Amino acid sequence: MRWISAVLLSVFVGAVWANDVGQVKVTKGVAHVEREGTRMPVVVGMPIRQSDKLVTGADGTVGVTFADNSLLSVGPNSALVVDKFAFNASTHEGQFDASLQRGTLAVISGKMVKQSPDAMRIRTPASILGVRGTEFVVKVADPGA
Amino acid sequence: MTARTTVCVVLALLACSCATPVREETVVVLPGPDGKSGTVVVQREGARQVLDAPYAANVVRGDGSLQGSRASEQQVAASFGTTLAALPARPTTFLLYFITAKDELTSESTAALDKVLADMRARPVPDIAVTGHTDTVGTSEYNDRLSMQRAERVKGFLTGIGIPSDRIQTAGRGKRELLVPTADNIDEPRNRRVEINVR
């Protein structure tokens, strides 16, 4: 029974969202998405998927909305990987893991964090941030700075 | 004398950054629109710090030490202003209400659809999440189905006023998220609603 509902659920989620977990709403300057070995310039309206890496140049910024209303932006000279994003729109259960490798990040958490306080985690080279429903910013300094 | 001291300090910092691969990291919790903040828990090699007030900050120094502090609004603007400016606009929420056990909107809610359209026009690449909710009359399964039907019905209204259907996702929350908390099997009109998020 559990197996059947899991299969039904995955079909349902697949039909609604395909592989897209978010969408680029804002971008300026030089910014790329690295996906499965390819490198694409970021444009407004572009879908974001799990495992995507957002990379910005010295003048680049990107702002993304996610399926659970999470909002996220990366500043100049930044690299952010969307490690995992899963969200069930009926139960609001899910998991959102992202890694800021360098640069700056701003986050406004969404619906899944309201449902389960530890659903969102941001990793940096030195730390793990557990997000319990809030807005915050993170900076990982350039090694040469 | 002063100049010499300064040089020493700079050299010490350079030596320090060469010796340790750890980069300085900063986390600052910001106030939300209501002026309050939520919580971020920062963990690093066993050390743990809870940031639960506006502008509460955590700074990991280049030498690996974890220390708490407080950032000022000016410091946040200087370090993160460009990044914060790139945040997408917050989603707008509209609530539409339904007649008991039907998937028909109340007349006020039908009029509200125009506001959704106006909000969408103000956004660069809008997409819409439509989430149906029910009151507590009936089983969970029944209400899951009914809430999805309501969401689909609203999607129909939205496509009817010209919004492309591939810009709209629907979901049914059933009776999991009551706007007005009630016991089971209570007919509560304010719980029979569809939430529209334009983002």
Side-chain angles (χ1 to χ4, degrees), chain A residues 17 23 25 44 63 67 69 73 90-91 101 104 111 124 126-128 130 132-139 141, chain B residues 23-26 28 30 32-33 38-41 43-44 80 83 86 90 125 127 167 169 172-173 176 197 199:
Chain A
W17 273 100
Q23 192 178 51
K25 299 289 188 184
V44 169
N69 286 355
S73 62
S90 290
T91 63
Q101 297 174 340
T104 52
K111 288 181 173 180
T124 66
S127 315
I128 299 175
R132 299 184 183 164
T134 195
E135 308 184 19
F136 63 100
V137 286
V138 191
K139 181 175 192 172
Chain B
R23 293 178 248 169
E24 181 166 311
E25 297 185 4
T26 309
V28 186
L30 301 179
T39 302
V40 172
V41 180
Q43 276 185 289
R44 180 174 183 275
F80 297 98
T83 313
R90 287 167 197 273
V125 192
D127 67 298
R167 308 303 304 162
Q169 293 92 39
R173 281 276 272 162
R176 292 176 188 83
N197 294 145
R199 56 197 181 194

Side-chain angles (χ1 to χ4, degrees), chain B residues 38-66:
Chain B
T39 302
V40 172
V41 180
V42 182
Q43 276 185 289
R44 180 174 183 275
E45 287 172 8
R48 187 171 177 277
Q49 196 196 342
V50 177
L51 306 178
D52 58 1
Y55 299 103
N58 168 286
V59 180
V60 183
R61 300 272 179 217
D63 63 2
S65 63
L66 181 70

Side-chain angles (χ1 to χ4, degrees), chain A residues 23-141:
Chain A
Q23 192 178 51
V24 174
K25 299 289 188 184
V26 178
T27 188
K28 274 186 186 167
V30 174
H32 288 90
V33 169
E34 292 177 17
R35 180 183 297 164
E36 292 162 7
T38 64
R39 200 157 175 270
M40 297 165 283
V42 172
V43 290
V44 169
M46 180 179 207
I48 294 299
R49 297 180 174 176
Q50 185 171 286
S51 305
D52 280 356
K53 182 175 179 177
L54 296 168
V55 182
T56 54
D59 61 346
T61 58
V62 182
V64 181
T65 56
F66 286 84
D68 77 323
N69 286 355
S70 301
L71 309 178
L72 187 152
S73 62
V74 290
N77 292 318
S78 301
L80 179 90
V81 181
V82 179
D83 300 305
K84 183 175 173 66
F85 185 97
F87 176 63
N88 181 319
S90 290
T91 63
H92 285 189
E93 285 159 349
Q95 186 71 46
F96 191 172
D97 291 340
S99 302
L100 182 67
Q101 297 174 340
R102 63 173 185 275
T104 52
L105 168 71
V107 175
I108 300 178
S109 63
K111 288 181 173 180
M112 76 167 81
V113 170
K114 280 186 194 142
Q115 176 70 30
S116 16
D118 289 314
M120 186 179 202
R121 278 180 309 217
I122 304 291
R123 285 166 205 279
T124 66
S127 315
I128 299 175
L129 316 180
V131 180
R132 299 184 183 164
T134 195
E135 308 184 19
F136 63 100
V137 286
V138 191
K139 181 175 192 172
V140 176

Side-chain angles (χ1 to χ4, degrees), chain A residues 1-11:
Chain A
M1 188 59 200
R2 188 174 289 174
W3 182 82
I4 291 169
S5 54
V7 169
L8 286 175
L9 184 69
S10 64
V11 168

Side-chain angles (χ1 to χ4, degrees), chain B residues 89-101:
Chain B
R90 287 167 197 273
T92 320
T93 301
F94 298 91
L95 291 179
L96 306 181
Y97 295 90
F98 281 80
I99 299 163
T100 315

